[in-house]
């Protein structure tokens, strides 16, 4: 594109301006006006119009626009007629050559109006406001205005007297500056240049192939935000199309129309595709505005497509597949960009398997992991990867649940072999669910998700919540404990709404969801004897359906397994029973809890005796150990057997039980 073409066209325009000035000056009655300093005299206007051009090279001899001419390129992209081009050139002139300002002030009979008016632009084009077809070029839906190339100002004036302005982005484009419109920076628009990425998603590659052949309008429904939109951006870029990614505001503001006009203009100027989403709550106006017919647009979001958004747009509605790229391969590729010849000393696939990230999220997480590793002076470790991956998950669950950062592992558990083995199996299922349920197609139909759901059943204090924290820590995820007091509502239907918010956010977040005392909401359905029973059963039916569609990892805990509805049990992947600890396990629990405390020489014998005499669960033993530690800290010595026994007696009294060796008051 030639940068000298526009000044050359303007020099030709200046010749037409000179002719118009000469005609006006021939019968100018103000030539001898003593106040002519307030306006441009005919002589000054004639001199400005006929002065030699400072632009090197001869001006064009006609209005033709040859190859490499930015005006010709603009006419092709926006569907402009020859008259449109002459109007655009007249409006553009003061923004490129300041000598046009006083000339336009003279021709407008108003030295303060230094832009072309509608009447002046049409005069210079060889027609006038009397021509209906010429006036139609200024209609809001005409190419110049609809494309955002010309802005008609002074709406309160009659059409002939309204001023014309060319946006600075259009001026810059015509002069050879290809920078993104600054107006779009405040509207979350990102440019991905052509050839910036390699495609890997079959659906995305197909969309890109269709978009390069002809303008395409697609709505892509995602199960998880960004899982399909990112690959589409990569595929469009790899196919040779620049991509403008736009994230609309949740609610349209006053400047939404101007932003859409600027976005479409930028896409046409660059011959780019648009990827827009997630869509706002009422996207109809946005979809209709972007359905121009000459710009490829891909909308995405979690909501299903509504034909009422744009009934005549010919929009193609697609369901994004659940399967994406191989996470381990994508992570390794991105990490190798920062650490050439990267060879991890851990199982990369196992470390990143619990995270359901899109390619753009993996790209950002790998960059962050590389930064953390560089800060520590090492190659990226599993901890670096898992921390950066957790930061990519939406933190919105904090509004509905209490987050726990796991600080325990399997070494902190004291359990028999069977429940311990089931906990290991739970982590195995969480890591390999995409392979088993997706690649191997062992997921049944009916809209079932890929969630992993387990029930932990056992008496209070037997380690159910601690085990959920261990599972989350082993997977490198956060644990979110659902506060049932904030979920259950006395008003009909409100409990389901609260649970739906939690499930939706859990589907978007890589975390382990814990429903403590789950029998409060997952209890058995009852025989319908009143309206209350009917609505309680509706709540249970909703939960049954929602669990089947759940894609995350959830753990339900209960002290009363018999209270859980059998229909819920059938939908569970694992049921782990936590037995009450026997003497040997209680001894191990005492040792584990007191491992970090200074101990007196006789402590081991007293611990063994307490483990035999006091039938305490793991949670109670931990509380007794804490009490004993406080007693030791109070007297300033090491932890003694007397401190341990005092802590155990304290727990027995809290539970209302008689301590060994004591009798009832009346005995």
């Amino acid at each position: 594109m030639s940068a000298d073409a526009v000044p050359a066209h303007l020099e030709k325009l200046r010749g037409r301006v000179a002719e118009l000035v000469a005609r006006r000056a021939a019968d100018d009655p103000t030539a001898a006006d003593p106040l002519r300093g307030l306006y441009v005299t005919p002589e000054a206007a004639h001199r400005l119009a006929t002065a030699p051009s400072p632009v090197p090279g001869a001006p064009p001899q006609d209005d033709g626009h040859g190859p490499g001419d930015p005006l010709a390129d603009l006419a092709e992209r926006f569907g402009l007629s020859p008259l449109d081009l002459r109007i655009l050139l007249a409006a553009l002139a003061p923004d490129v050559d300041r000598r046009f300002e006083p000339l336009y002030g003279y021709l407008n009979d108003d030295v303060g109006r230094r832009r072309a008016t509608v009447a002046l632009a049409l005069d210079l084009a060889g027609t006038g406001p009397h021509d209906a077809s010429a006036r139609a070029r200024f209609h809001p839906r005409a190419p110049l205005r609809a494309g955002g190339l010309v802005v008609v100002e002074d709406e309160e004036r009659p059409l002939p007297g309204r001023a014309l302005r060319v946006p600075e982005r259009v001026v810059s484009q015509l002069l050879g500056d290809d920078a993104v419109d600054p107006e779009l920076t405040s509207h979350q628009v990102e440019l991905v240049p052509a050839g910036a990425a390699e495609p890997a998603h079959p659906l995305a590659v197909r969309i890109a192939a269709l978009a390069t052949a002809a303008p395409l309008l697609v709505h892509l429904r995602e199960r998880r935000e960004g899982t399909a939109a990112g690959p589409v951006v990569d595929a469009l870029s790899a196919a040779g199309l620049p991509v403008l990614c736009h994230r609309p505001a949740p609610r349209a503001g006053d400047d939404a129309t101007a932003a859409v006009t600027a976005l479409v203009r930028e896409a046409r100027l660059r011959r780019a595709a648009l990827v827009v989403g997630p869509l706002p709550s009422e996207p109809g106006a946005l979809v209709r505005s972007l359905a121009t017919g000459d710009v490829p647009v891909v909308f995405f979001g979690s909501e299903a497509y509504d034909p009422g958004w744009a009934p005549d747009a010919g929009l193609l509605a697609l369901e994004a597949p659940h399967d994406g790229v191989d996470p381990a391969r994508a992570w390794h590729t991105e990490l190798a960009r920062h650490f050439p010849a990267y060879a991890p000393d851990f199982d990369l696939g196992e470390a990143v398997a619990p995270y359901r990230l899109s390619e753009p999220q993996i790209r950002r997480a790998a960059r962050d992991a590389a930064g953390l590793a560089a800060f520590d002076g090492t190659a990226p470790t599993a901890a670096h990867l898992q921390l950066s991956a957790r930061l990519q998950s939406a933190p919105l669950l904090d509004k509905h649940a209490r987050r726990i950062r796991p600080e325990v592992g399997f070494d902190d558990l004291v359990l028999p072999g069977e429940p311990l083995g089931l906990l290991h199996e739970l982590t195995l299922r969480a890591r390999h669910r995409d392979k088993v349920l997706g690649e191997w197609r062992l997921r049944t139909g009916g809209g079932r998700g890929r969630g992993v759901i387990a029930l932990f059943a056992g008496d209070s204090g037997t380690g159910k919540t601690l085990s959920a924290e261990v599972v989350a820590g082993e997977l490198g995820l956060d644990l979110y404990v659902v506060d049932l007091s904030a979920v259950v509502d006395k008003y009909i239907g409100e409990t389901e709404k609260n649970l739906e918010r939690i499930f939706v956010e859990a589907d978007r977040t890589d975390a382990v969801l814990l429903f403590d005392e789950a029998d409060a909401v997952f209890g058995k359905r009852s025989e319908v004897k009143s309206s209350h029973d009917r609505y309680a059963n509706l709540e249970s039916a909703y939960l049954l359906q929602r669990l089947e569609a759940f894609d995350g990892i959830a753990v339900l805990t209960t002290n009363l397994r018999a209270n859980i509805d059998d229909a819920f049990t059938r939908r569970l992947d694992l049921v782990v029973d936590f037995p009450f600890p026997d003497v040997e396990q209680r001894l191990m629990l005492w040792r584990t809890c007191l491992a970090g405390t200074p101990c007196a020489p006789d402590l081991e014998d007293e611990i063994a005796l307490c483990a035999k005499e006091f039938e305490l669960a793991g949670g109670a033993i931990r509380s007794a150990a804490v009490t004993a530690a406080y007693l030791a800290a109070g007297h300033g010595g090491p932890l003694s057997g007397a401190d341990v026994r005092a802590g155990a007696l304290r727990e027995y009294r809290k539970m209302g039980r008689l301590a060994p060796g004591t009798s009832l008051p009346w005995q």
Side-chain angles (χ1 to χ4, degrees), residues 259-294:
V260 169
T261 300
L263 184 64
V264 173
R265 180 180 65 209
E266 190 72 25
R268 284 173 172 157
L269 289 173
R270 296 180 176 277
R271 298 186 188 274
L274 294 176
V275 176
V276 182
L279 292 177
S281 56
E282 297 181 1
L286 177 65
V287 173
R288 289 189 294 272
S289 299
L290 294 177
T292 60
D294 61 339

Side-chain angles (χ1 to χ4, degrees), residues 88 93 172 221 224 243 299 304 401 436 503 512 633:
L88 177 62
S172 300
R221 186 183 183 188
R224 182 176 168 88
V243 184
F299 301 100
V436 173
F503 279 121
V512 176

Side-chain angles (χ1 to χ4, degrees), residues 40-112:
V40 179
T41 64
E43 293 79 8
H46 182 72
R47 184 171 65 253
L48 288 170
T50 58
S53 171
V55 180
Q61 300 302 311
D62 53 39
D63 285 334
H65 307 284
D69 190 329
L71 285 172
D73 193 49
L74 205 68
E76 179 187 352
R77 300 186 189 191
F78 288 82
L80 305 181
S81 67
L83 178 58
D84 288 329
L85 285 179
R86 289 195 288 271
I87 294 171
L88 177 62
L89 195 62
L92 173 75
D95 292 287
V96 179
D97 189 341
R98 65 183 303 270
R99 292 176 299 168
F100 281 89
E101 292 186 61
L103 290 173
Y104 282 2
Y106 174 77
L107 294 174
N108 286 327
D109 294 328
D110 186 344
V111 74

Side-chain angles (χ1 to χ4, degrees), residues 325-481:
V325 297
D326 180 7
R329 184 179 63 83
W331 274 93
H332 191 278
T333 300
E334 294 301 327
L335 288 170
R337 299 179 189 272
H338 305 278
F339 289 84
Y342 176 62
D345 56 358
F346 57 92
D347 190 332
L348 179 61
E350 182 174 305
V352 301
Y355 303 98
R356 300 166 295 164
L357 302 181
S358 64
E359 281 196 277
Q361 288 176 314
I362 291 176
R363 193 175 302 125
R364 293 191 293 269
R367 179 196 62 202
D368 295 343
L372 291 171
F375 181 80
D376 292 337
T378 65
T381 64
H384 292 141
L385 270 59
Q386 291 174 343
L387 175 58
S388 59
R390 283 201 303 270
L391 295 176
Q392 297 299 317
S393 294
L396 300 179
L397 261 177
D398 288 331
K399 301 177 182 178
H400 311 290
R402 176 170 55 90
R403 179 171 63 177
I404 297 176
R405 287 286 173 86
E407 297 180 357
V408 291
F410 276 103
D411 292 339
D412 298 295
L413 289 180
V414 178
L415 289 173
E418 182 178 353
L420 196 61
L422 290 175
L423 292 179
H424 281 288
E425 182 182 339
L426 178 59
T427 63
L428 188 73
R429 285 174 176 261
R431 285 194 175 102
H432 299 289
R433 53 184 167 150
D434 283 340
K435 176 184 288 186
V436 173
L437 300 179
E439 183 180 338
W440 294 351
R441 302 178 64 83
L442 287 178
R443 179 171 60 117
T444 56
R448 289 177 173 82
R450 298 187 182 183
V452 177
I453 305 171
L455 174 66
F456 292 176
D459 293 338
S460 177
T462 51
K464 301 184 295 297
T465 303
L466 180 66
S467 296
E469 184 178 348
V470 168
V471 168
E474 183 71 12
L475 295 172
L477 303 175
D478 289 334
L479 178 69
Y480 280 88
V481 182

Side-chain angles (χ1 to χ4, degrees), residues 625-648:
V626 171
T627 299
Y630 274 116
L631 293 174
H635 61 64
L639 194 70
S640 65
D643 296 330
V644 171
R645 178 166 289 275

